[in-house]
Amino acid sequence: MTDSQDQTVEEGAEPVPAFTFRTVAEQGFKLPIGALEGDALDKAFAFRPYTMAEDKAIARDIASDPQATESAKVTAALKHTLITLGSRDLSEAKPDQVDAAVKGMFFGDVMYAYLLLRIVSVGKEVKFPYACPYCRTPFVFTGDLNTVKVTVFEDQSRLEDVVTLPMPWRVRGVEARRVLLRPSPWGMIEGRMPTPVHYQAAIMQGAIAGFDDKAEGEFAGERIRLAPTEIDTMPKRVVNFLNDAVAVANGGPRLNVTTKCPSPQCKAELDEPLDWSFDNFFG
């Protein structure tokens, strides 16, 4: 847990975690964070049936931009299938309205909805050629998407988390020692990202909601949104340190699948990242 995640509900009570871990099967059709509705998180979402008509509409969106990133393809997939988001009925909404709704969702919610869309429209299994890294036995890796682990938040007041940095980071004339993290909006990430490092920087920019120069005590910084050029000044040590904290702050699925090596002499537990690209997921 990070600095603010072990707060208690009342003095003397056991610490209440800011988040929990569930499988996709356990979470079902509930977003891991949800749409902010006043003081509550509305986790409802639903899809229309994914038919050839939706496939054509998604393909038109992707074809209209030959340089479309995978994140833009995720937006296109949800834009043409999502009909409920929180209390909003999107079944009769124009495509541009649904597009804006998707870009306003949290990063973890978008990736979770995309994962669920794959499960309900194509199936829960993923298969790919693989060789065990321990014994080199070749086999077809079969993973179950329903077993993917999901970071879930239940209380909107616990979405923000203060994290102490391993070294000061000079930004806006301040020696920042702590940052305030919250889930990244998908719209910060969905644009064209030429490299994985640009993608990482956009996620960092979306997640950092403030900073201060204190080593402890109540967070004293203002809520801000840093510019990309300001994120570029982050020391590499701070970048590496924040990667895991930002991943937790964003919630949503950990896009890995597990299986066991089929070799009787090995039987190693294997954990492999998913290729969640649109063509691989829905092709």
Side-chain angles (χ1 to χ4, degrees), residues 89-270:
D89 179 359
L90 301 173
S91 59
E92 301 298 329
K94 295 178 180 179
D96 287 350
Q97 293 174 314
V98 185
D99 183 85
V102 172
K103 290 176 180 176
M105 293 170 67
F106 291 122
F107 174 87
D109 285 345
V110 168
M111 292 308 297
Y112 185 76
Y114 179 70
L115 181 63
L116 258 289
L117 179 64
R118 200 285 188 178
I119 292 172
V120 300
S121 60
V122 177
K124 66 179 184 178
E125 282 192 348
V126 288
K127 295 184 178 184
F128 47 91
Y130 192 78
C132 176
Y134 301 101
C135 68
R136 309 311 303 169
T137 298
F139 66 100
V140 175
F141 191 118
T142 301
D144 183 349
L145 296 178
N146 275 326
T147 66
V148 168
K149 297 291 191 299
V150 186
T151 304
V152 179
F153 291 82
E154 299 292 356
D155 183 351
Q156 67 88 20
S157 70
R158 304 297 302 280
L159 293 182
E160 293 186 342
D161 183 31
V162 180
V163 178
T164 300
L165 302 178
M167 62 177 287
W169 166 29
R170 187 162 186 80
V171 58
R172 296 195 181 184
V174 173
E175 295 291 327
R177 296 181 180 276
R178 300 187 299 182
V179 293
L180 181 69
L181 299 181
R182 65 176 289 114
S184 304
W186 181 253
M188 295 285 295
I189 301 156
E190 192 264 5
R192 186 167 294 133
M193 302 293 166
T195 70
V197 176
H198 288 77
Y199 183 77
Q200 178 189 35
I203 292 176
M204 289 280 187
Q205 183 191 2
I208 295 174
F211 58 86
D212 71 7
D213 59 357
K214 311 297 181 185
E216 57 185 19
E218 187 174 348
F219 183 75
E222 296 180 358
R223 272 37 173 194
I224 52 90
R225 179 70 71 198
L226 294 173
T229 52
E230 292 173 315
I231 294 295
D232 287 348
T233 68
M234 186 184 295
K236 181 63 174 174
R237 184 180 172 192
V238 174
V239 172
N240 290 349
F241 178 81
L242 283 180
N243 273 335
D244 288 344
V246 168
V248 170
N250 275 327
R254 176 180 177 267
L255 292 171
N256 284 51
V257 284
T258 60
T259 193
K260 282 187 177 181
C261 175
S263 169
Q265 291 74 38
C266 181
K267 295 184 179 180
E269 296 283 348
L270 304 171

